Amino acid sequence: MNSELNTTCRSWIEVNLTNLRHNANVLQQAMPENCRLMAVVKANAYGHSAKEISLALNKTGVKAFAVATVDEGIELRKNGVTGEILILGFTDVSRISDIKKYDLIQTIIDFDYANALNDTGVFVKTHIKIDTGMHRLGIPSDDFESVKKVFEMKNLDVCGIFTHLCCSDSLKKEDVDYTNFQIDNFYNLIERLKSAKIKVVKTHIQSSYGLLNYPHLKCDYARIGIALYGVLSSPDETILKPDLRPVLSVKSRIALIRNVNKGDCVGYARAFTAKRNSKIAILPIGYADGIPRSMSNGKGCVVINNFLVPIAGRVCMDQLAVDVTDIDGVSVGDTVSLIDDNNLSAPEAAVNADSISNELLSQIGARLPVKFIENLE
Ligand SMILES: *Cc1c(COP(=O)(O)O)cnc(C)c1O
């Protein structure tokens, strides 16, 4: 894409495909021998551009992807992404012909859904989701009979069975106990299926934290989202600490700098009042670009010349103000980072918005152009 974004654009995203490939490799190496990385590229690859991310991963040998919706899956196929594509969530059964046409794999979200899908008469690939304790999607792990019946449905090509852990990010004893309870529920069901001579299909349990905190689990896939993008959800500790490198940064440029007097206000609702004569820089990026409004009033900050500078007043739809009184040598046109590998990581920025990096990143980029970077190696 345009390499001149930084001189012509108001604000932009930089996506480093070399770091992406590095992360895919270190995560794959962290997995047991026969486990494969399933790259979770839902929500436009967490704001990183699903098409380019998936094609780059295809090139490094990644052959399994997960999306949230049928349309996300179709988009990947139309752009030439090869390998398996699992739809993790609900798809209206009326879309069955799309699932088939684009060779997607549909998650069986519960028993009634399996019936409805089977009743369409179209033979499609599926993975059965098992509820082991999160109580969101899935057939309850103690409902062996229903799972068995799904395996017997003649229009469902069951190729996988999986569950999702709800607190694998926490290392607190009660959460570790709960996670182990979920894992046991899953494996107990698998054992019962094996004893009933039901064909062995691919299994998967872990997402990013599941892999990093329970790396010993021997599954066929690990569904990795946030860690693939080089960050964790929050500034957490994990048992495994692979060398992950952030893939995305968000940049803007100083559109103008103004001096305000002590007592002057800045922005909507006069939410910022200068406590001293101040220098305010206006950045052409706002909540419609994915910068959360909850970063208003000094909760969030940006990086200018390696300094963290607080947001002054409310984040507007298309712009925001920062207080640059304390830094020297700032000029109109200077590049500013809102998420940055070195000084302001996505998890740190997310904390300032009372959120997690998954939410922050997935909201980024509705309007920002993306510059893809590949380091020379
Ligand atoms: C989003 C999602 C993932 C990926 O989670 P990360 O924490 O980003 O790795 C894995 N599995 C399911 C079912 C998901 O919905």
Side-chain angles (χ1 to χ4, degrees):
M1 261 210 154
N2 192 345
S3 61
E4 305 294 314
L5 284 178
N6 38 345
T7 55
T8 61
C9 272
R10 58 189 267 284
S11 301
W12 67 99
I13 292 168
E14 290 179 5
V15 167
N16 188 315
L17 296 174
T18 307
N19 287 358
L20 174 77
R21 278 194 292 268
H22 166 87
N23 297 336
N25 288 335
V26 297
L27 288 162
Q28 180 63 66
Q29 279 158 23
M31 291 172 201
E33 175 120 14
N34 294 315
C35 184
R36 298 258 75 85
L37 172 74
M38 181 185 285
V40 181
V41 294
K42 62 191 181 188
N44 200 25
Y46 295 45
H48 291 62
S49 309
K51 170 190 158 192
E52 287 81 0
I53 292 286
S54 306
L55 289 172
L57 290 171
N58 255 172
K59 269 196 213 147
T60 70
V62 174
K63 295 193 184 71
F65 296 88
V67 294
T69 73
V70 64
D71 292 307
E72 290 177 341
I74 293 172
E75 193 58 27
L76 296 186
R77 284 290 187 239
K78 284 188 169 162
N79 284 296
V81 174
T82 60
E84 295 172 352
I85 302 179
L86 172 65
I87 304 168
L88 294 168
F90 169 80
T91 305
D92 194 281
V93 292
S94 68
R95 304 291 303 274
I96 188 93
S97 51
D98 281 333
I99 296 172
K100 179 96 187 166
K101 176 172 172 195
Y102 293 98
D103 189 21
L104 306 174
I105 306 171
Q106 176 58 45
T107 293
I108 299 300
I109 61 171
D110 71 356
F111 185 68
D112 290 345
Y113 185 80
N115 265 322
L117 208 60
N118 186 52
D119 286 348
T120 62
V122 182
F123 189 70
V124 287
K125 290 183 190 159
T126 62
H127 282 199
I128 304 176
K129 177 105 183 237
I130 302 299
D131 176 18
T132 52
M134 180 164 181
H135 303 142
R136 191 175 62 176
L137 298 182
I139 300 175
S141 49
D142 57 8
D143 188 359
F144 170 74
E145 286 306 321
S146 294
V147 177
K148 184 164 169 279
K149 280 186 199 141
V150 174
F151 271 95
E152 289 158 358
M153 289 182 183
K154 71 174 195 316
N155 294 318
L156 302 186
D157 178 9
V158 180
C159 333
I161 185 162
F162 71 105
T163 191
H164 196 42
L165 304 173
C166 58
C167 55
S168 61
D169 55 328
S170 165
L171 295 175
K172 282 193 207 130
K173 182 171 184 314
E174 62 267 32
D175 293 327
V176 172
D177 288 347
Y178 197 80
T179 303
N180 285 323
F181 162 78
Q182 285 195 271
I183 294 167
D184 288 346
N185 287 343
F186 185 74
Y187 281 117
N188 287 340
L189 174 70
I190 299 295
E191 285 313 313
R192 287 187 74 180
L193 290 167
K194 279 187 188 155
S195 337
K197 302 271 184 288
I198 289 169
K199 70 170 176 180
V200 181
V201 293
K202 306 276 191 213
T203 57
H204 42 112
I205 300 178
Q206 302 133 298
S207 56
S208 296
Y209 282 94
L211 174 68
L212 298 178
N213 287 332
Y214 301 83
H216 58 280
L217 297 181
K218 288 193 171 51
C219 295
D220 295 293
Y221 299 105
R223 303 181 305 271
I224 307 296
I226 195 69
L228 190 56
Y229 307 108
V231 290
L232 295 178
S233 299
S234 308
D236 296 317
E237 285 296 313
T238 50
I239 307 264
L240 283 193
K241 296 177 182 59
D243 165 33
L244 299 174
R245 300 182 184 166
V247 174
L248 177 144
S249 35
V250 178
K251 303 280 171 77
S252 186
R253 288 189 301 148
I254 298 178
L256 70 79
I257 296 175
R258 67 168 67 252
N259 294 309
V260 300
N261 293 321
K262 180 177 175 185
D264 282 352
C265 62
V266 174
Y268 284 123
R270 300 190 291 152
F272 175 87
T273 304
K275 292 197 179 67
R276 53 184 174 166
N277 290 342
S278 305
K279 203 165 45 162
I280 298 292
I282 305 296
L283 310 181
I285 188 165
Y287 60 76
D289 301 295
I291 304 305
R293 199 163 165 277
S294 53
M295 285 187 180
S296 297
N297 298 326
K299 289 196 70 188
C301 48
V302 307
V303 182
I304 305 180
N305 299 343
N306 290 319
F307 288 101
L308 285 176
V309 178
I311 293 178
R314 294 216 178 142
V315 175
C316 310
M317 186 181 282
D318 318 301
Q319 42 212 325
L320 58 83
V322 292
D323 182 352
V324 292
T325 314
D326 290 327
I327 51 171
D328 295 325
V330 252
S331 321
V332 167
D334 284 358
T335 299
V336 171
S337 303
L338 291 99
I339 296 176
D340 169 297
D341 311 5
N342 305 316
N343 301 295
L344 183 59
S345 68
E348 290 164 339
V351 165
N352 296 338
D354 294 324
S355 186
I356 57 172
S357 56
N358 310 46
E359 182 186 24
L360 177 66
L361 293 170
S362 68
Q363 299 297 309
I364 290 287
R367 189 167 64 180
L368 298 178
V370 183
K371 175 180 174 184
F372 295 96
I373 299 170
E374 306 221 26
N375 300 345
L376 296 173
E377 279 161 303

